[in-house]
Amino acid sequence: MQEQLKTVARRLKSAGKICVLTGAGISKESGIPTFREAQTGLWANFDAERLATIQGYLADPPLVWQWYDTRRVGIADTQPNAGHYALVELESMIPSVVIITQNIDGLHAKAGSRDIIELHGSILKYRCFDAGHPQSDVAAGLKEPPQCRCGSMLRPDVVWFGEALPQEALERAFQEVGSADVVLVVGTSGLVQPAASLPDHGARNGAFIVEVNPEETPITEIADCLLQGLSGTVLPRLIAEMKE
Ligand code: BJW
């Protein structure tokens, strides 16, 4: 691992632009569960079809509203961990660092990262179902979705299965990754499209691909290096190595 850290640190230090693609794994050490890990992942205990699709929402709005409300209240209380802070420090060492996150928890912003692309929206925001009117000031503990001023139901401003990702965010993500020197892929299973295609896009355009994950994933195959471990440990070690 020490040799790999040295190699990656050298690559990072000489980079003009680094894109960091993050997934649920980076927030696990902040106490937020991932999705697909056996036993502890959300989808091991909750039905994604019922809770994270438009069809599920329309079938039972109170159920879906309450599930997101409970998660939002929990997430609002969490704090960034050493992995998030290491990425903030990276910004001070490299001309351009773009964080592309699939996470909806807002922890990169809370840590202080400045250039963040949220691919799957934010659980801290709302919009209405029919017209997409944004709304942020919503009380916790409601048993069913409140109405927008236009009469439509509110929903969390996240991307459910079968929904398109925010176009501007997605386009920018591909553009940035396509011109990055290094793509750091942290804490994602690499199973959910289109985000999972970003590392491959980077590789095809000449970026050095580094994965940080305790497990191998489909991305490992195209990665130049897997730093196997927890992001809250590996990322600070990487920053320390860059300072050597
Ligand atoms: C650690 C760690 C530590 C642990 N340190 N690491 C067949 C083929 C291709 C695509 C499809 C297909 N069938 C269906 C699709 C499309 C679908 C998809 O990809 N499905 C796959 C599951 C098969 N995609 C979509 O539907 C997307 N939309 C779309 O395709 O639209 C098309 C369209 C175009 C135009 C018009 C209309 C439609 C939308 C995807 C939305 C995903 N939404 C969610 C929920 C968000 C809201 C919420 O939170 O409730 O996003 S699902 C969930 O998965 C969430 C995550 O962002 C996303 C990715 O998960 P992530 O982050 O990778 O987490 P995990 O749990 O999978 O992995 C955690 C990793 O961390 C693991 O590897 C651990 O080892 C690691 N780890 N501890 C570092 N300490």
Side-chain angles (χ1 to χ4, degrees):
M1 173 72 114
Q2 196 53 37
E3 270 318 297
Q4 283 179 306
L5 279 170
K6 276 190 197 309
T7 307
V8 174
R10 261 199 311 271
R11 285 280 185 164
L12 292 177
K13 272 204 296 202
S14 63
K17 183 192 283 186
I18 298 173
C19 285
V20 189
L21 173 65
T22 63
I26 194 169
S27 294
K28 189 173 174 185
E29 292 160 84
S30 292
I32 302 174
T34 61
F35 292 92
R36 292 173 185 78
E37 289 184 283
Q39 279 144 25
T40 59
L42 284 176
W43 300 152
N45 299 297
F46 297 97
D47 182 355
E49 286 287 324
R50 285 180 74 198
L51 295 164
T53 63
I54 289 186
Q55 295 77 4
Y57 189 43
L58 291 176
D60 194 344
L63 174 84
V64 177
W65 181 266
Q66 287 173 38
W67 191 64
Y68 276 95
D69 186 55
T70 305
R71 284 177 62 206
R72 173 177 67 119
V73 169
I75 282 172
D77 267 351
T78 59
Q79 296 306 321
N81 63 59
H84 296 102
Y85 288 118
L87 296 179
V88 178
E89 207 174 344
L90 189 63
E91 270 183 18
S92 63
M93 303 165 101
I94 306 295
S96 171
V97 174
V98 184
I99 309 286
I100 303 168
T101 188
Q102 298 167 83
N103 298 344
I104 46 80
D105 55 34
L107 287 184
H108 288 298
K110 214 174 195 178
S113 283
R114 280 178 304 182
D115 194 356
I116 305 164
I117 301 176
E118 290 184 319
L119 289 178
H120 292 165
S122 168
I123 200 169
L124 308 170
K125 298 180 191 156
Y126 297 88
R127 62 187 153 94
C128 77
F129 201 82
D130 292 335
H133 294 135
Q135 197 143 333
S136 50
D137 196 16
V138 177
L142 300 177
K143 295 292 173 227
E144 54 185 64
Q147 281 188 348
C148 176
R149 61 180 186 278
C150 70
S152 165
M153 279 192 298
L154 290 189
R155 55 164 285 178
D157 192 8
V158 299
V159 181
W160 285 326
F161 287 111
E163 292 191 297
L165 276 63
Q167 193 181 345
E168 203 177 308
L170 186 61
E171 279 175 10
R172 186 174 169 226
F174 272 93
Q175 199 179 31
E176 297 288 2
V177 162
S179 58
D181 300 301
V182 180
V183 178
L184 203 50
V185 184
V186 184
T188 178
S189 59
L191 293 172
V192 176
Q193 296 292 352
S197 295
L198 284 165
D200 191 50
H201 181 67
R204 284 169 195 273
N205 284 280
F208 188 76
I209 312 295
V210 181
E211 186 177 32
V212 178
N213 200 309
E215 305 293 334
E216 292 195 4
T217 73
I219 290 166
T220 313
E221 221 170 276
I222 62 137
D224 295 290
C225 182
L226 167 65
L227 297 175
Q228 198 155 14
L230 307 179
S231 46
T233 307
V234 172
L235 292 175
R237 280 182 68 187
L238 203 46
I239 298 296
E241 197 55 52
M242 286 175 77
K243 290 179 182 163
E244 287 292 309

